[in-house]
Amino acid sequence: MAKPKPSFMDTIVSLCKRRGFVFQASEIYGGIGNTYDYGPLGVELLRHVKDAWWNRMVTAREDVVGLDSAIIQNPEVWRTSGHVDGFSDPLVDCRACKARFRADKLDEAVCPEKPSKRAGEFEKCDLTEPRSFNLMFKTNIGALEDSSSVAYLRPETAQGIFLNFLNVLNSSRMKPPFGIAQIGKSFRNEITPGNFVFRTREFEQAEMEYFVPPAESDEWYEHWKKVRFDWYVELGIDPAKLRMRDHDAGELAHYSTACVDIEYEYPFGWGELEGIACRSDFDLKRHSEASGTKLEYFDPQTKEHYTPYVIEPAGGINRMALTFLIDAYEEEVLEKDTRVVLRFHPEIAPITVAVFPLVKKDGMPEKAQELVQELRLARFSTFYDEKSAIGRRYRRQDEVGTPFCVTIDGDTLSDGIVTVRNRDSMEQDRIPMGEVVTYLHAAVREWQRPERASRTGEREPLPQ
Ligand code: GAP
């Protein structure tokens, strides 16, 4: 019998493992649920996503500064923020198989004993009444393991920003409207199956709290919705697969007065990529009341103290990386075969440029290494490869999304000319080796995503 064709998500998961993007965590011990490790190319992808976010949100702006706050804070923080009482999912147990599911995500649940049976198909009497389950991971601080030593791993980076509002205000001469940005790990004891790295227990968030005079909050909410949506499109994501979805009143988190999700159409359906929320003055006011320290701004013009409103764009770095990967994947049908290519934006690609000696002799490897050193000095993520036929080396780079390959051949040693091969068009330019850095800077700046090829198996359901 013919093997069933892998689904699109299967293809992505297997490419990630084969080429060293993502591995199952604790794999040799049988794994651990919803937890993954990132391999050599995966860390470069994450790093480039973080750099692109930081560049757009902090470096390119006058009005946003950075922060790196602690993961474990005083547990009072989480009581005040509402997470101890309110950060929970409603869970139900299946009486037949004893598995636990999220009551609000039953359409994603699968009975482990009867994988063909998806919840939604569960008989009502199979399930217990929903019970609330807090998502925060608990730990203990110090030598005692009693209730007085309980602490939490942060479930969002945002609170660390609110705690440092005054510190930043007093140390950096910022005044509203201004923002504080942070990238860092957050932890949630997620119960639902994660769809690979889409939903994991440990993940990196990129969040920015933008503090504004209350009267300006609507205007800034619109500003940040646009900036964040455009950021994905500028980095090559297909706008036809992106949409903005407003939360209705029942969906809003306890702290927000308005929220929109930027959603992407994943192979498993539309899903939240990033949220932009108006958190009003909820957090600063709550922390002011609970701590006794007034988290306010004194406006020297009006001589009044006020609590700023907050607009918060909050995304997950791992989810962004997965989205860039899925969106970049194409199988391009050529005359003789099909090539797999990840059409990453050059800023996002794990490797920006690969350097090859045409053959491993006659001084070509040495010349190629000279170029590698120059490219590394210019801070390009550079990969050197001298093994196997040149065509195969190109294809290996296509599959991991390297936008440029430079080949040193016999002539380079006499005339100094190298060949730059473009991943997307597969066209080749012959240019002097001394001009490669300038050429690449321009090519990265001017990159445009070519028309999209179809992707086989994209609409097939996820394996369970
Ligand atoms: N401070 C607001 C906040 O944390 P959220 O919608 O819960 O809002 C923001 O999280 C983003 O963090 C999400 O849009 C998603 O990209 C990412 N995220 C949340 N939970 C995640 C998880 N379990 N695994 C991976 N990413 C997650």
Side-chain angles (χ1 to χ4, degrees):
M1 219 169 76
K3 271 207 192 149
K5 228 172 155 314
S7 74
F8 180 44
M9 223 28 220
D10 272 340
T11 307
I12 294 288
V13 173
S14 111
L15 171 75
C16 281
K17 172 153 194 196
R18 187 163 33 84
R19 297 307 309 272
F21 283 92
V22 181
F23 308 124
Q24 192 182 10
S26 305
E27 190 178 8
I28 59 171
Y29 286 97
I32 173 167
N34 292 357
T35 311
Y36 294 88
D37 296 336
Y38 288 76
L41 290 182
V43 284
E44 292 300 320
L45 176 62
L46 292 177
R47 197 170 65 81
H48 289 168
V49 172
K50 284 185 268 190
D51 283 351
W53 188 88
W54 197 266
N55 283 341
R56 180 70 189 83
M57 301 296 284
V58 185
T59 316
R61 298 186 64 113
E62 294 274 299
D63 56 349
V64 180
V65 289
L67 180 79
D68 189 2
S69 67
I71 287 173
I72 298 177
Q73 300 278 356
N74 186 317
E76 274 310 312
V77 170
W78 307 109
R79 276 189 272 281
T80 305
S81 66
H83 284 85
V84 170
D85 290 333
F87 194 57
S88 37
D89 281 343
L91 294 190
V92 291
D93 293 319
C94 173
R95 291 200 173 93
C97 67
K98 309 288 181 228
R100 200 161 261 196
F101 306 110
R102 254 174 81 168
D104 57 337
K105 296 252 185 242
L106 277 178
D107 52 340
E108 288 179 25
V110 175
C111 176
E113 289 195 348
K114 298 179 196 150
S116 60
K117 191 173 169 184
R118 296 183 77 99
E121 293 164 24
F122 283 110
E123 299 297 328
K124 252 207 152 46
C125 64
D126 281 340
L127 301 173
T128 61
E129 283 300 307
R131 274 176 304 143
S132 144
F133 175 84
N134 196 291
L135 292 177
M136 280 195 295
F137 279 102
K138 271 189 192 158
T139 186
N140 293 87
I141 294 187
L144 281 179
E145 277 196 27
D146 60 16
S147 59
S148 68
S149 67
V150 165
Y152 303 93
L153 303 190
R154 69 178 172 205
E156 61 170 19
T157 56
Q159 295 303 321
I161 297 180
F162 298 125
L163 301 178
N164 284 288
F165 170 73
L166 274 190
N167 285 335
V168 174
L169 203 61
N170 294 337
S171 61
S172 66
R173 297 211 202 139
M174 303 305 277
K175 57 180 179 79
F178 83 102
I180 306 177
Q182 166 157 234
I183 296 180
K185 284 232 168 158
S186 292
F187 303 82
R188 298 181 188 178
N189 196 357
E190 302 278 5
I191 298 301
T192 29
N195 282 329
F196 194 37
V197 292
F198 179 80
R199 192 183 294 114
T200 51
R201 297 206 163 108
E202 178 178 337
F203 54 98
E204 261 180 309
Q205 284 191 310
E207 300 198 284
M208 199 271 292
E209 309 300 319
Y210 198 74
F211 302 94
V212 301
E216 294 176 20
S217 96
D218 289 351
E219 183 189 319
W220 284 108
Y221 182 50
E222 293 308 318
H223 170 86
W224 285 110
K225 274 159 61 173
K226 180 166 169 20
V227 169
R228 294 306 308 146
F229 191 93
D230 290 352
W231 184 78
Y232 290 105
V233 177
E234 282 156 21
L235 288 173
I237 300 274
D238 184 354
K241 285 184 169 283
L242 284 174
R243 71 178 184 196
M244 298 249 215
R245 194 182 62 78
D246 284 306
H247 282 208
D248 57 41
E251 237 183 310
L252 287 176
H254 58 275
Y255 48 75
S256 61
T257 52
C259 186
V260 68
D261 283 345
I262 300 179
E263 294 190 332
Y264 182 79
E265 192 180 13
Y266 295 95
F268 41 87
W270 286 94
E272 173 187 343
L273 171 56
E274 161 160 356
I276 297 123
C278 177
R279 294 180 79 126
S280 69
D281 52 10
F282 178 88
D283 304 271
L284 290 180
K285 280 223 161 115
R286 289 278 293 244
H287 285 303
S288 297
E289 281 158 23
S291 68
T293 300
K294 281 200 171 137
L295 304 178
E296 292 177 340
Y297 173 68
F298 175 70
D299 187 337
Q301 307 271 303
T302 60
K303 306 264 184 279
E304 275 177 18
H305 291 271
Y306 73 87
T307 311
Y309 269 33
V310 171
I311 310 298
E312 173 196 71
I317 294 291
N318 314 73
R319 208 174 273 188
M320 291 175 193
L322 174 69
T323 311
F324 283 118
L325 233 157
I326 287 175
D327 198 76
Y329 184 91
E330 278 181 22
E331 286 164 10
E332 190 182 8
V333 181
L334 304 171
E335 251 172 50
K336 289 200 186 121
D337 60 355
T338 301
R339 76 166 174 149
V340 170
V341 52
L342 292 181
R343 295 203 196 273
F344 285 127
H345 187 290
E347 267 186 50
I348 296 292
I351 302 168
T352 322
V353 51
V355 178
F356 309 145
L358 183 63
V359 288
K360 209 172 131 186
K361 56 179 186 187
D362 301 336
M364 287 179 229
E366 292 75 14
K367 195 80 190 158
Q369 280 295 347
E370 272 175 37
L371 180 60
V372 167
Q373 294 316 318
E374 197 187 331
L375 290 167
R376 287 187 177 149
L377 268 180
R379 293 180 171 256
F380 285 106
S381 294
T382 309
F383 180 79
Y384 173 78
D385 188 7
E386 58 182 23
K387 294 182 203 80
S388 73
I390 193 80
R392 277 182 62 111
R393 279 182 267 170
Y394 284 148
R395 289 297 174 86
R396 279 182 65 76
Q397 293 305 314
D398 289 343
E399 202 190 31
V400 297
T402 307
F404 310 103
C405 296
V406 184
T407 302
I408 311 296
D409 58 31
D411 292 343
T412 312
L413 300 168
S414 53
D415 64 11
I417 304 289
V418 299
T419 305
V420 186
R421 185 256 196 190
N422 183 300
R423 172 197 71 199
D424 294 327
S425 62
M426 293 192 282
E427 275 166 15
Q428 306 194 350
D429 281 334
R430 305 261 307 151
I431 62 167
M433 190 162 117
E435 288 175 17
V436 172
V437 168
T438 318
Y439 175 99
L440 290 183
H441 278 304
V444 169
R445 231 182 7 253
E446 288 156 18
W447 181 84
Q448 299 268 343
R449 173 128 183 186
E451 201 151 314
R452 285 151 214 273
S454 65
R455 304 192 285 200
T456 49
E458 187 170 1
R459 297 275 168 255
E460 288 163 24
L462 254 191
Q464 296 296 342

